[in-house]
Amino acid sequence: MSDQIAMSIDPNEDPYGSLGIIRNTDGSITRPQTTRPFSITIPDKDSFVFMKDLVINLAKDMWARIVIPREVLNSETKLPLVVYFHGGGFVMAATVDTPILQKFYATLAVEIPAIIVSVDYRYAPENRLPAAYDDCVESLYWIKNTPNELLKKHADLSKCFLLGTSAGGNIAYHVGLRVAKVSECLKPLEIKGLILHHAFFGGNERTKSELRLARNKILPLNVCDIMWELGLPIGSDRDHLYSNPMVEIRSNENLFDQLKIQGWKILVIDCYGDPLIDRQIEVSKMLKEKGVQVVDSFSEGGFHGCEFFDDMKLKDMALVVKEFVRA
């Protein structure tokens, strides 16, 4: 199905163009100017969800989109909170109002059901890692201290999960490791688990799935390499711990101590049509060996981010996440 998706630019032929950037002769990049209007978005009345946008940090152009099932708006019901970090390889100028994300939010919010808070973060190379991690940690403190009545009334802050897709999955993993060490400072926000959806991990040594799908039209290897080159700290290679979690997992025996003490669990979701599948399997296996509670869901076929384009796969994913959150 990935070949059937209309791609305006073939990433194998023009990888920079597919990322929405221009590589200049001096090595710098130019990004088309875009304006990001602040708005409060309320879908049509027949929609199953209510959405509202709020500023997190105006200086960093960070904001959040809150997604709430409409059926709970006039009740005292509190639902689990899912904080969502979108993808984009740390480089693409994706935001919480990117069109393909809207059905994703709504489906998860209704099917789990849960309150979804999707948050923005700065992108590279203007702001290289760990800037995105810093921003997403900041968003958790913003949620903790929020004066927003919708969240205070309908979100159960004691049942929070961090969910991320692609680069967002990488963020969920690293932010989770960070905040597990300072969990007391986040209360009443209490994280119960991480959901890594097609997480964007890498490494210097190619995996079999990366080589098998090296020229796929969704996430080819040349695009992965460019995103890591632009996203990682200057001078780093793909075995940096931000890219390759196995490096730190193997070298730090106590890495997951706080996750285990607090009873966190991790859900790893991917499909065999994703070039990153071998990395997800490796990480999942190692987490289990380290004593972390892990649930994995690896489906046949598909492609990187397929749930944004295939309603059935999105529905299946929502059911997997529902079971994980509700367990």
Side-chain angles (χ1 to χ4, degrees):
M1 182 177 177
S2 60
D3 291 335
Q4 299 172 10
I5 297 174
M7 302 293 289
S8 58
I9 299 175
D10 184 341
N12 291 288
E13 302 300 326
D14 183 6
Y16 291 99
S18 72
L19 294 172
I21 57 178
I22 300 168
R23 183 69 176 257
N24 302 316
T25 55
D26 64 358
S28 65
I29 68 112
T30 299
R31 193 184 297 276
Q33 290 296 316
T34 57
T35 57
R36 189 188 301 187
F38 174 75
S39 64
I40 293 178
T41 306
I42 303 176
D44 295 336
K45 289 183 178 180
D46 61 350
S47 173
F48 292 108
V49 296
F50 171 86
M51 299 187 187
K52 184 171 184 177
D53 298 340
L54 296 169
V55 170
I56 296 176
N57 185 326
L58 196 56
K60 294 181 180 179
D61 198 20
M62 288 170 56
W63 49 306
R65 174 157 294 183
I66 301 172
V67 185
I68 301 177
R70 281 190 178 272
E71 64 179 10
V72 307
L73 285 176
N74 296 317
S75 73
E76 299 299 317
T77 302
K78 287 202 170 191
L79 298 176
L81 174 64
V82 176
V83 181
Y84 180 67
F85 309 126
H86 61 70
F90 304 109
V91 174
M92 295 179 72
T95 68
V96 296
D97 64 346
T98 296
I100 65 168
L101 296 178
Q102 308 315 306
K103 182 183 288 186
F104 185 82
Y105 300 153
T107 301
L108 292 178
V110 171
E111 293 293 335
I112 295 174
I115 308 300
I116 310 293
V117 177
S118 178
V119 301
D120 271 339
Y121 51 87
R122 292 168 295 169
Y123 35 79
E126 298 91 336
N127 300 280
R128 291 173 177 266
L129 292 173
Y133 304 151
D134 297 340
D135 292 349
C136 292
V137 170
E138 180 180 344
S139 74
L140 298 180
Y141 282 93
W142 173 83
I143 292 171
K144 167 197 170 179
N145 297 315
T146 183
N148 181 261
E149 291 300 323
L150 285 172
L151 285 180
K152 290 168 68 175
K153 181 177 179 181
H154 297 296
D156 184 349
L157 299 187
S158 70
K159 294 181 181 178
C160 176
F161 295 82
L162 307 185
L163 162 63
T165 296
S166 193
N170 177 301
I171 291 171
Y173 173 82
H174 285 286
V175 167
L177 288 179
R178 274 199 197 183
V179 299
K181 300 173 184 177
V182 293
S183 58
E184 288 297 319
C185 298
L186 279 175
K187 287 184 176 180
L189 186 69
E190 295 184 38
I191 296 169
K192 300 299 184 183
L194 312 177
I195 304 170
L196 313 183
H197 174 229
H198 297 206
F200 185 45
F201 294 134
N204 287 340
E205 184 177 349
R206 306 299 193 186
T207 66
K208 290 181 179 179
S209 60
E210 287 172 342
L211 294 173
R212 174 171 55 87
L213 296 163
R215 289 184 61 81
N216 78 93
K217 292 190 176 182
I218 302 297
L219 189 66
L221 268 183
N222 62 338
V223 170
C224 287
D225 290 352
I226 289 170
M227 292 191 294
W228 287 125
E229 176 192 348
L230 297 177
L232 290 169
I234 292 175
S236 302
D237 63 21
R238 295 189 305 274
D239 275 341
H240 190 284
L241 64 89
Y242 295 161
S243 170
N244 189 350
M246 299 302 295
V247 172
E248 190 175 22
I249 292 174
R250 291 185 177 121
S251 64
N252 185 351
E253 286 295 324
N254 303 316
L255 184 62
F256 302 112
D257 285 357
Q258 286 302 314
L259 273 70
K260 291 187 289 185
I261 290 171
Q262 296 169 53
W264 289 19
K265 50 188 180 177
I266 299 178
L267 171 60
V268 182
I269 302 173
D270 207 346
C271 61
Y272 286 96
D274 181 3
L276 303 180
I277 181 64
D278 285 355
R279 298 199 182 276
Q280 316 306 320
I281 293 172
E282 182 181 37
V283 169
S284 176
K285 179 181 178 182
M286 184 62 78
L287 287 170
K288 291 175 182 176
E289 290 179 1
K290 296 294 184 180
V292 179
Q293 298 180 62
V294 178
V295 177
D296 47 45
S297 177
F298 303 135
S299 59
E300 296 298 326
F303 51 91
H304 189 74
C306 57
E307 290 84 0
F308 296 108
F309 305 95
D310 186 321
D311 288 349
M312 287 302 298
K313 288 189 178 297
L314 175 56
K315 183 84 170 183
D316 290 343
M317 175 191 168
L319 293 176
V320 170
V321 174
K322 175 180 181 178
E323 183 176 348
F324 180 77
V325 169
R326 293 287 173 177

